[in-house]
Amino acid sequence: MSWRPQYRSSKFRNVYGKVANREHCFDGIPITKNVHDNHFCAVNARFLAIVTESAGGGSFLVIPLEQTGRIEPNYPKVCGHQGNVLDIKWNPFIDNIIASCSEDTSVRIWEIPEGGLKRNMTEALLELYGHSRRVGLVEWHPTTNNILFSAGYDYKVLIWNLDVGEPVKMIDCHSDVILCMSFNTDGSLLTTTCKDKKLRVIEPRSGRVLQEANCKNHRVNRVVFLGNMKRLLTTGVSRWNTRQIALWDQEDLSMPLIEEEIDGLSGLLFPFYDADTHMLYLAGKGDGNIRYYEISTEKPFLSYLMEFRSPAPQKGLGVMPKHGLDVSACEVFRFYKLVTLKGLIEPISMIVPRRSDSYQEDIYPMTPGTEPALTPDEWLGGINRDPVLMSLKEGYKKSSKMVFKAPIKEKKSVVVNGIDLLENVPPRTENELLRMFFRQQDEIRRLKEELAQKDIRIRQLQLELKNLRNSPKNC
């Protein structure tokens, strides 16, 4: 028998990355210098949002995608937060609604006007308070409208129903800071990575941990669900401090299916998965390259395709939703790369080379669209439903007709699972202790002044009463 080399046919083996021309980039942007491990960038079919460097509070820019080129230094910003903005995410069903979270412990919902900002925006549609410490992550539910998840440095994940503007559930199973959250296709499962070196698969409505892995040899940083494959992919660090990826069965986290070392660099690896093409992209923070692989359900599970190289290091990457891609150019993925040193946002298109100009149906299957499959009450009631699919052949130009209506809220305590989330919590750091001390000193000073004024008023009233009693008319 003659020996034959292994050959695996793939329609994506020749995918290449194409950087946009300079006039189609976004230049002159003061990208944040915050070292928090997030992308600081969010993009949809209409707008690009970037967290910016600012003094006294946090802010981010929102730029219409067609407004490329140099951005003026005095361009209007969204600047309502009192602390640095740590994460921003666009609503997947209403393309002018964006959520942000900050060091000021709040999550805020903003409505961007048609055509972009004309002046600085300081008033949010909704201000959501429930975390006792800074909020590092926000994620929209993939199939349900107006359900938002937030993860704070108080080790809690809150589930917000934006129809009422209140948290409706609290997931309290983590013992350290939550690093990453990811949903499966229908949003019935949530997976998280945590600083306590554990990978968890959680049923979000009950908060019950279904699977848990103690990752001592593979310290997990980021995790992503691989569509409907019932697989998870994590990026992390091996015991020899090399960057590593691992593939897991979501129903059995006792041992990874495979582990693969990438390189010896120190930057965090961000994974991006495209469920339509089964392609995985790996981009390192501070790297200039993006590796891409094809995922399969059979061994070897992970097949290396190619690598996009660039000399400019990336701080973070925004990803365009499928319905915003250019299907006429056979574009299957698009990154928006943050180059901090140049103040530049650089679009990178991943393209399948094809000679024909017609619509390529084999690389564009039906994909999740802009219509929600469930209402918040349906999802909270226990219903799961797959996303509403759309064809990119005709439907990718259509915009959603949904409108966000902010609820009218009254000031009150926020009670979830019998715990008031707005009550005073013990300080965890020296800075928090000092802030609480000075706040209490101010409160004591104000109360003393109020008490002194009341004492004076009491003496005046006593004197008036005495005068009335001693007046000749009363004799």
Side-chain angles (χ1 to χ4, degrees):
M1 184 185 290
S2 62
W3 178 83
R4 291 173 182 270
Q6 272 194 343
Y7 178 75
R8 186 175 175 278
S9 175
S10 170
K11 66 184 86 165
F12 302 110
R13 69 179 182 272
N14 294 319
V15 168
Y16 66 95
K18 182 181 178 183
V19 180
N21 297 330
R22 187 75 183 206
E23 59 266 23
H24 293 123
C25 296
F26 301 84
D27 199 3
I29 295 171
I31 300 167
T32 180
K33 295 181 175 64
N34 197 313
V35 295
H36 189 72
D37 285 328
N38 263 347
H39 294 294
F40 301 111
C41 177
V43 63
N44 65 12
R46 290 176 60 194
F47 297 108
L48 171 69
I50 313 105
V51 178
T52 57
E53 189 68 15
S54 62
S59 63
F60 58 95
L61 285 172
V62 177
I63 307 166
L65 284 183
E66 62 273 9
Q67 195 174 326
T68 54
R70 187 157 191 86
I71 305 300
E72 294 299 319
N74 58 349
Y75 193 88
K77 296 178 181 178
V78 179
C79 50
H81 281 287
Q82 277 80 51
N84 290 327
V85 176
L86 299 180
D87 197 13
I88 48 176
K89 293 280 165 62
W90 289 104
N91 187 320
F93 310 116
I94 311 173
D95 52 13
N96 67 331
I97 297 293
I98 189 168
S100 64
C101 63
S102 165
E103 289 181 352
D104 64 9
T105 75
S106 74
V107 177
R108 303 192 186 200
I109 310 299
W110 310 86
E111 183 177 22
I112 307 303
E114 198 72 30
L117 298 174
K118 305 299 180 198
R119 60 182 67 85
N120 283 351
M121 179 179 280
T122 55
E123 292 296 320
L125 269 183
L126 271 179
E127 294 183 18
L128 307 172
Y129 290 94
H131 289 282
S132 58
R133 301 184 70 192
R134 60 180 170 167
V135 188
L137 295 169
V138 284
E139 287 287 346
W140 295 92
H141 193 274
T143 62
T144 309
N145 190 34
N146 285 347
I147 290 287
L148 182 71
F149 285 62
S150 64
Y153 276 61
D154 52 5
Y155 314 155
K156 294 177 177 62
V157 177
L158 294 184
I159 306 175
W160 302 86
N161 180 357
L162 302 187
D163 281 355
V164 295
E166 298 289 349
V168 287
K169 302 281 181 184
M170 180 171 69
I171 300 170
D172 192 12
C173 59
H174 300 88
S175 58
D176 211 324
V177 176
I178 298 146
L179 302 174
C180 180
M181 296 189 290
S182 176
F183 290 98
N184 65 344
T185 306
D186 64 1
S188 61
L189 295 175
L190 172 73
T191 181
T192 63
T193 56
C194 183
K195 242 181 177 176
D196 63 8
K197 300 178 185 176
K198 288 184 179 178
L199 170 67
R200 296 174 175 88
V201 175
I202 301 164
E203 202 292 310
R205 282 168 291 219
S206 64
R208 190 162 52 94
V209 179
L210 304 177
Q211 289 287 328
E212 186 175 277
N214 203 346
C215 308
K216 290 182 179 176
N217 298 333
H218 168 74
R219 298 199 302 276
V220 290
N221 286 321
R222 291 291 180 271
V223 62
V224 63
F225 262 106
L226 301 181
N228 288 321
M229 288 187 179
K230 294 193 173 180
R231 299 276 191 272
L232 302 172
L233 184 123
T234 57
T235 67
V237 182
S238 72
R239 62 169 71 180
W240 298 282
N241 282 336
T242 56
R243 295 197 294 191
Q244 193 180 49
I245 58 174
L247 191 68
W248 307 77
D249 182 345
Q250 74 178 40
E251 294 173 352
D252 181 14
L253 298 184
S254 57
M255 189 73 71
L257 298 172
I258 56 165
E259 287 181 344
E260 187 170 315
E261 290 193 8
I262 303 298
D263 55 33
L265 299 178
S266 59
L268 179 73
L269 272 179
F270 293 114
F272 303 90
Y273 180 66
D274 181 2
D276 295 345
T277 60
H278 305 299
M279 284 178 68
L280 170 75
Y281 300 86
L282 293 179
K285 187 176 181 179
D287 298 0
N289 60 339
I290 300 171
R291 299 174 176 86
Y292 36 105
Y293 302 76
E294 192 168 9
I295 306 278
S296 62
T297 53
E298 299 172 355
K299 287 185 178 181
F301 301 120
L302 201 65
S303 304
Y304 177 77
L305 292 173
M306 217 181 286
E307 183 177 357
F308 166 79
R309 292 174 180 267
S310 163
Q314 58 227 5
K315 183 181 180 68
L317 293 159
V319 173
M320 173 65 76
K322 277 285 179 172
H323 58 271
L325 298 179
D326 183 2
V327 296
S328 62
C330 296
E331 184 183 34
V332 290
F333 216 74
R334 190 191 304 163
F335 293 102
Y336 284 78
K337 174 177 170 178
L338 275 64
V339 186
T340 312
L341 298 175
K342 299 179 182 178
L344 183 71
I345 311 294
E346 198 175 58
I348 302 169
S349 297
M350 311 308 292
I351 294 170
V352 180
R354 294 282 171 96
R355 290 182 180 177
S356 173
D357 292 334
S358 60
Y359 179 72
Q360 305 292 311
E361 211 154 336
D362 61 324
I363 61 173
Y364 294 115
M366 296 287 282
T367 191
T370 56
E371 297 296 323
L374 294 166
T375 65
D377 290 339
E378 286 174 334
W379 183 77
L380 291 167
I383 300 172
N384 295 318
R385 202 171 288 158
D386 285 334
V388 178
L389 302 180
M390 66 187 287
S391 169
L392 298 184
K393 187 173 185 179
E394 298 166 356
Y396 74 102
K397 293 288 184 187
K398 294 178 183 176
S399 59
S400 174
K401 295 177 182 177
M402 298 195 66
V403 177
F404 182 83
K405 291 182 180 177
I408 298 168
K409 292 179 69 179
E410 296 177 3
K411 296 281 184 182
K412 59 180 180 180
S413 61
V414 178
V415 179
V416 177
N417 297 352
I419 300 170
D420 188 350
L421 300 174
L422 296 182
E423 67 183 358
N424 288 330
V425 292
R428 297 176 190 243
T429 65
E430 191 177 343
N431 284 338
E432 283 185 16
L433 183 65
L434 284 170
R435 277 202 300 272
M436 186 172 282
F437 171 75
F438 289 126
R439 204 160 50 234
Q440 287 176 346
Q441 290 295 309
D442 290 340
E443 182 70 10
I444 290 167
R445 197 178 298 113
R446 186 186 65 78
L447 289 170
K448 280 182 176 177
E449 288 172 0
E450 196 176 316
L451 196 60
Q453 289 173 357
K454 300 270 188 200
D455 281 342
I456 293 167
R457 182 62 182 150
I458 288 167
R459 288 196 201 101
Q460 287 174 346
L461 289 170
Q462 284 175 338
L463 193 60
E464 285 176 16
L465 189 61
K466 191 176 180 181
N467 290 340
L468 281 169
R469 283 175 181 167
N470 294 335
S471 63
K473 289 180 183 178
N474 292 334
C475 296

